[in-house]
Amino acid sequence: MPGQLTINPRRAAVSLRVVVVGGGIAGIATAYTLQRAGHNVTVLERSNGSEHSRGVIRSPPNMTRILNHWGLAPALAKTAVKCPQFRFHQPDGELISIVQLHDDFVKDLMADFVFIAHDDMRSILYEAAEHAGVEIRYNASVDSVDCDTVSVTLHPPPEGGEPERLYADLVVGADGPQSIVRTEVVGEEVTGVRDGHLSLTVTIPTELMREDEDLRPLCEDGNWWVWLGPDTLFHGSLIAGRREFSIVIGMRNVPAETLAQYTETWDLQRTYPIEHFGIDFSGYDVRVRKLLPFMRKVTAAVHVRRPILESSVCERARIVIVGEAAHPLVPAGQHNTGVTIEDAETLGALFARIQHRAQIPRMLAAYEELRQPRFSGPSPSTIVFLYISPSSSSTASRSKAYASRRCAYAQDWELRKRTMLTLPHGLEQKERDSKLRRVMAYGDWAHMDEHRFKQMWGDEMEMFSYFSTEKVEDWWTKWGSLLAGSSEKDGVKTPVSPSVEVSISNGPSRMLLSVH
Ligand SMILES: Cc1cc2nc3c(=O)[nH]c(=O)nc-3n(C[C@H](O)[C@H](O)[C@H](O)COP(=O)(O)OP(=O)(O)OC[C@H]3O[C@@H](n4cnc5c(N)ncnc54)[C@H](O)[C@@H]3O)c2cc1C
Ligand SMILES: *[C@@H]1O[C@H](CO)[C@@H](O)[C@H](O)[C@H]1NC(C)=O
Ligand SMILES: *[C@@H]1O[C@H](CO)[C@@H](O)[C@H](O)[C@H]1NC(C)=O
Ligand SMILES: *[C@@H]1O[C@H](CO)[C@@H](O)[C@H](O)[C@H]1NC(C)=O
C-alpha cells in the first residue's frame, strides 16, 4: 500500500497518567497514540466488549494515511477493501457518473480510499493499543468526571460497595455523541435537535448475493455503489475481505414521530426488517430491489444536531474531549471516523513532546488551535463533486464561526453533502446530476487541466490531503521553543500563540496538478 511511512515514535520526557472515557474508535485510537508517546493509559468502556457492529466505515486517503503511519497497513490489508471507483446512479438504475480513483490520484494522496467494517477497525486499533501497553477495561461505566480533582468515578458495582474513583494527570472524553465528559467540560449539558436525518445500516454476506447475476458485480470490484433517490441516499460497498456487502441508507425529512422511535447511539440490540421503515422502493433499480429480501437486521441511528462548541478543553485544562463527543456528525457520514483518527494523531503527536506536567494546559491549548484552525478553502460556490454548490439558503445558514473552524467545517460538510445527495426530483437535482455527469466526461485524469481539476476536486482534495502529523510538526517548529521555556509553576491555561494559521490548501494537490 502506498503511504507506508517509517514509524519512529517520539517519546515524552515525562510519563503521564491518562484515563480515557469510552472505548469506541476515538477512545482506543487516542489511547494508542498517547501510550505510544510514553504515557500510561487506561480506557474505561461501559459495554461488555461482546457487541459486534458490521456497519461500514469509509476511510478516505487522509485517514488511511494515518493508519498506515501507525503501522497498521498489514492489518488493514487483511480486511479492508480498496475502492477503485465511485458509481452514481439514478434510483431507477440509470448510471449518472463514474468517478475513477486513478492510481496517480491515490499515489499523490499517499494512501488508498478503503472500506472497512466498523468492528474490524475497532479490533485492529484494539490490538495495536493493547500491544502498546494500554489497559482497556470493559464493564466500566463512568458515572461522573470531576474537573477540579481530575478524576472519574465509575457507577457503583452491581454487587454493591463503594464506586471506584480513578485519578489522572489528563482525562480524555471519548464517550460519543451523548458524552458526559462534554457536560463537565462545557459546564452544562449540550442539547441538540433531531433534524430529520435517519441512517440505516445493514450488512449482507456476499455468498448470498453471488448466486444472482444482477447482484454478482456488486461482490466483485470494491466499487462504491450509490443510488441518489429523493430524500433517500442508498449506497453500499464491500467490506471484510469482500465477504460482506454493507449498505447505508441515509434518509432525510423523516417526521419527528418516526424519529422518536430510534436512538442517537448505535443500538445494535434493536434491529428491524427493511419494510419496517416504509420506504417505497417500487421504482428502484432491480439490484436495489433484489437486495431488499436480505435486509433483515437493519440498525437505525438518528442525527442530533448540536451547536458547535467554543472549546473542547475544560477550564482547568486537564480534560479534553475527542471524536463524536467533541463534534458529532451525521451518522454514517463520510468523515466521522477520519475526524476521530485525526484527533487521536494530533493529541498523540503533541503529547509526545511534553516535558513536564505543568505543560499539559499548553499542550491542550495547542490541540485546540490545531483542531480548529481557520479554514482557508474555496468559497462554497466553487465546491463541486460530492458536494456540489449548495443552494443559497444553506450557504446563508453557515455562520462565520462555523466556516472558520476545521472540525466545524467537517460537521457542516457532512450535512450539506447528505442534503445534496438526497435532493427531491426537480431543478436542483437535475443540476447536480449534470455536474456529476461532467465528472465522467472529464474523468480521464491524465488529461485534466488545472481549472477543471479544481472545479471537480478542489474541495475533496483539501479534505483528503490534510495530514495531522505534519500540522503538529509545523506547529512545533513555530511555537515549540516557547513552550519548552515555560516554567513548572506555569499551570494556567493560556493560549500559546495569538493565532496559528494552518493552511491546508497546499501540499499534495499541487503535485497532482502537474500530472498531465
Ligand atoms: C456500537 C457502535 C456501532 C457503530 N457502528 C457504526 C457503523 O456501522 N458505521 C458508522 O459509520 N459508524 C458507526 N458508529 C459510529 C462511529 O464509531 C463514530 O462515528 C466514529 O467512529 C467516532 O466514534 P467515537 O469513538 O467518538 O464515538 P462512539 O463510536 O459513539 O463510541 C463511544 C464509546 O464510549 C462508550 N461510552 C459512552 N458513555 C460511556 C460512559 N459513561 N462510560 C464508559 N463508556 C462510555 C460507548 O459505549 C462507546 O463505545 C458506531 C458506534 C458504536 C458505538
Ligand atoms: C453483553 O451485552 C449485550 C448487550 O448489551 C448482551 O446482549 C450480552 O448478553 C452481554 N454479554 C455478556 C457476556 O454479559
Ligand atoms: C462483563 O460482565 C459480564 C457479566 O457480568 C461478563 O460475563 C463479561 O465477561 C464481562 N466482560 C469483560 C470483558 O470482562
Ligand atoms: C480528512 O478530511 C476530512 C475533510 O476535511 C476531514 O474532516 C477529516 O478530518 C480528515 N481526516 C483525516 C484522518 O485526516
mmCIF file of all heavy atoms in Angstrom, residues 47-49 138-139, ligand 3:
data_model
loop_
_atom_site.group_PDB
_atom_site.id
_atom_site.type_symbol
_atom_site.label_atom_id
_atom_site.label_comp_id
_atom_site.label_asym_id
_atom_site.label_seq_id
_atom_site.Cartn_x
_atom_site.Cartn_y
_atom_site.Cartn_z
ATOM 1 N N SER A 47 -19.523 -0.890 27.760
ATOM 2 C CA SER A 47 -20.101 -2.119 27.210
ATOM 3 C C SER A 47 -19.259 -3.315 27.639
ATOM 4 O O SER A 47 -18.171 -3.161 28.177
ATOM 5 C CB SER A 47 -20.176 -2.040 25.686
ATOM 6 O OG SER A 47 -18.883 -2.148 25.134
ATOM 7 N N ASN A 48 -19.793 -4.514 27.402
ATOM 8 C CA ASN A 48 -19.078 -5.703 27.882
ATOM 9 C C ASN A 48 -18.108 -6.265 26.849
ATOM 10 O O ASN A 48 -17.527 -7.326 27.034
ATOM 11 C CB ASN A 48 -20.073 -6.764 28.365
ATOM 12 C CG ASN A 48 -21.013 -7.211 27.251
ATOM 13 O OD1 ASN A 48 -20.653 -7.166 26.067
ATOM 14 N ND2 ASN A 48 -22.201 -7.649 27.621
ATOM 15 N N GLY A 49 -17.964 -5.588 25.750
ATOM 16 C CA GLY A 49 -16.956 -5.992 24.772
ATOM 17 C C GLY A 49 -17.400 -7.111 23.853
ATOM 18 O O GLY A 49 -16.615 -7.597 23.044
ATOM 19 N N TYR A 138 -13.431 -3.259 30.099
ATOM 20 C CA TYR A 138 -14.849 -3.284 29.727
ATOM 21 C C TYR A 138 -15.695 -3.317 31.000
ATOM 22 O O TYR A 138 -15.164 -3.453 32.106
ATOM 23 C CB TYR A 138 -15.141 -4.505 28.854
ATOM 24 C CG TYR A 138 -14.621 -4.329 27.442
ATOM 25 C CD1 TYR A 138 -13.425 -4.922 27.040
ATOM 26 C CD2 TYR A 138 -15.315 -3.544 26.533
ATOM 27 C CE1 TYR A 138 -12.936 -4.742 25.754
ATOM 28 C CE2 TYR A 138 -14.837 -3.364 25.249
ATOM 29 C CZ TYR A 138 -13.653 -3.965 24.860
ATOM 30 O OH TYR A 138 -13.185 -3.781 23.590
ATOM 31 N N ASN A 139 -17.001 -3.262 30.858
ATOM 32 C CA ASN A 139 -17.923 -3.226 32.004
ATOM 33 C C ASN A 139 -17.537 -2.096 32.953
ATOM 34 O O ASN A 139 -17.760 -2.209 34.148
ATOM 35 C CB ASN A 139 -17.885 -4.545 32.790
ATOM 36 C CG ASN A 139 -18.427 -5.718 31.988
ATOM 37 O OD1 ASN A 139 -19.348 -5.554 31.186
ATOM 38 N ND2 ASN A 139 -17.866 -6.896 32.193
HETATM 39 C C1 LIG B 3 -18.593 -8.079 31.602
HETATM 40 O O1 LIG B 3 -19.539 -8.545 32.533
HETATM 41 C C2 LIG B 3 -20.238 -9.706 32.083
HETATM 42 C C3 LIG B 3 -21.356 -10.019 33.056
HETATM 43 O O2 LIG B 3 -21.136 -9.503 34.333
HETATM 44 C C4 LIG B 3 -19.243 -10.844 31.939
HETATM 45 O O3 LIG B 3 -19.902 -12.010 31.514
HETATM 46 C C5 LIG B 3 -18.210 -10.444 30.898
HETATM 47 O O4 LIG B 3 -17.228 -11.451 30.772
HETATM 48 C C6 LIG B 3 -17.534 -9.137 31.294
HETATM 49 N N1 LIG B 3 -16.704 -8.726 30.180
HETATM 50 C C7 LIG B 3 -15.407 -8.483 30.303
HETATM 51 C C8 LIG B 3 -14.663 -8.163 29.043
HETATM 52 O O5 LIG B 3 -14.826 -8.511 31.363
#
